[in-house]
Amino acid sequence: MSDSPETCLPTTTWFLYSEGEEEPLGSIYRKALPEVGASIEEDATRGIKAAEIVSFTELRATCAMRRFKVVVRPVS
């Protein structure tokens, strides 16, 4: 058995919002915590466009999964 905290399962949910109008843009699952300035890759199958993280706020956790409101700016 390994002592590593790594898991193959996502441990966070990011609820994406646009920077200006804060319109909901969908949600994604990640292992890592969001970081300001980090990039989000485009995922056409889920309707997620490439973007840069502007800010984030942690929301109340549910079912052992941390949740974040992540404000993003589209990347041209």
Side-chain angles (χ1 to χ4, degrees):
M1 183 168 192
S2 173
D3 292 331
S4 174
E6 289 293 316
T7 175
C8 63
L9 300 174
T11 55
T12 64
T13 303
W14 298 5
F15 297 99
L16 306 177
Y17 289 84
S18 64
E19 180 181 26
E21 298 127 21
E22 291 207 19
E23 290 182 27
L25 302 173
S27 63
I28 55 176
Y29 297 102
R30 295 286 188 255
K31 292 181 189 179
L33 301 177
E35 294 181 27
V36 173
S39 297
I40 296 173
E41 295 178 16
E42 182 171 354
D43 184 348
T45 59
R46 299 190 65 183
I48 305 294
K49 299 190 183 214
E52 177 184 358
I53 298 174
V54 176
S55 66
F56 65 91
T57 305
E58 187 162 7
L59 307 170
R60 174 180 252 170
T62 61
C63 300
M65 186 170 290
R66 293 175 75 180
R67 304 178 323 141
F68 295 88
K69 175 183 178 182
V70 180
V71 178
V72 297
R73 175 183 307 133
V75 176
S76 301

